[in-house]
Amino acid sequence: MKQSSLAARYARALAGVVKDKRAFETAADELDAFTAMFREGRELRDFLLNPSYPLARKQKGLSEVARRVGMKGPQLKLLEILLQKGRMGILPEVALQFRKLEEESLNRVSVELTTARPLDAKMQQEVVASLEKFTGKTVRLTHKVDPGVLGGARARIGSLVYDGTVASRLQKLKQQIIRER
């Protein structure tokens, strides 16, 4: 079975247990937080994925890390099951699939907005309002600053990218000039 379809099954199973909107959001946040630690923490990742460590030791370590970050409930049970089945490697994909289910159930969409300079609070509110009108959903905005875009903005909504940056326009103009030669 492909990892993405297996991860989607685990995510749907967790979603089936977590019904309340508030609990759904909490579960997604906790799963994302643990996944970030798993991705960035080489020692944690190596410990949980290394088959030479006994399962009991890994379970104890997982419980300790989960306790420290305040994770409990069904999302912790999911991690325990992934560990027991030797499938911790698909955790990032499970978290991604679960976040998609959470956003679907709450009629929300994550948008990554990249601009050349930081936006003030008023401008962020205007951007969120515009994106909510465009998507018809509540928007969870993640703002990134990249001076390389020169000006304008780039919005990533799911797998779609809307690029209105000056850098992108200059690149298109360059390609057009090259073609016309």
Side-chain angles (χ1 to χ4, degrees):
M1 181 176 285
K2 286 176 50 178
Q3 274 195 348
S4 59
S5 61
L6 185 60
R9 286 178 56 195
Y10 279 107
R12 282 192 307 272
L14 179 58
V17 175
V18 181
K19 303 269 187 210
D20 178 62
K21 285 184 178 184
R22 190 61 143 170
F24 218 126
E25 204 167 4
T26 301
D29 291 343
E30 288 181 4
L31 206 53
D32 282 348
F34 189 89
T35 301
M37 286 180 8
F38 180 78
R39 275 190 176 138
E40 297 163 12
R42 182 174 174 231
E43 289 178 4
L44 174 64
R45 186 179 58 252
D46 289 349
F47 171 70
L48 293 175
L49 295 177
N50 190 333
S52 67
Y53 291 111
L55 180 60
R57 188 170 171 198
K58 289 182 191 182
Q59 289 170 327
K60 186 176 179 185
L62 177 66
S63 295
E64 180 62 27
V65 171
R67 184 186 62 74
R68 285 185 186 171
V69 298
M71 180 183 273
K72 53 189 180 287
Q75 50 277 21
L76 175 57
K77 185 66 177 166
L78 172 71
L79 293 179
E80 291 168 349
I81 291 169
L82 289 174
L83 183 64
Q84 185 178 16
K85 301 260 186 200
R87 294 182 172 152
M88 282 302 287
I90 67 169
L91 174 62
E93 183 66 24
V94 172
L96 179 69
Q97 294 294 328
F98 187 74
R99 181 59 80 181
K100 288 179 182 177
L101 293 171
E102 180 249 356
E103 288 181 343
E104 228 175 76
S105 75
L106 299 176
N107 196 33
R108 182 172 43 210
V109 65
S110 290
V111 176
E112 181 183 293
L113 183 72
T114 306
T115 59
R117 296 183 316 173
L119 300 177
D120 61 24
K122 184 180 181 212
M123 181 58 84
Q124 274 193 4
Q125 287 175 343
E126 290 175 10
V127 168
V128 167
S130 177
L131 288 167
E132 286 178 346
K133 185 176 178 184
F134 176 72
T135 62
K137 297 181 177 194
T138 305
V139 168
R140 178 190 314 216
L141 185 69
T142 304
H143 181 240
K144 293 185 177 183
V145 176
D146 178 6
V149 301
L150 302 177
R154 178 176 45 242
R156 178 183 305 274
I157 305 171
S159 61
L160 295 174
V161 177
Y162 299 94
D163 196 342
T165 61
V166 172
S168 171
R169 291 180 189 171
L170 288 173
Q171 185 63 29
K172 287 176 186 174
L173 183 60
K174 178 182 173 184
Q175 294 300 322
Q176 184 180 359
I177 290 170
I178 290 171
R179 278 193 307 265
E180 290 177 0
R181 283 188 162 176

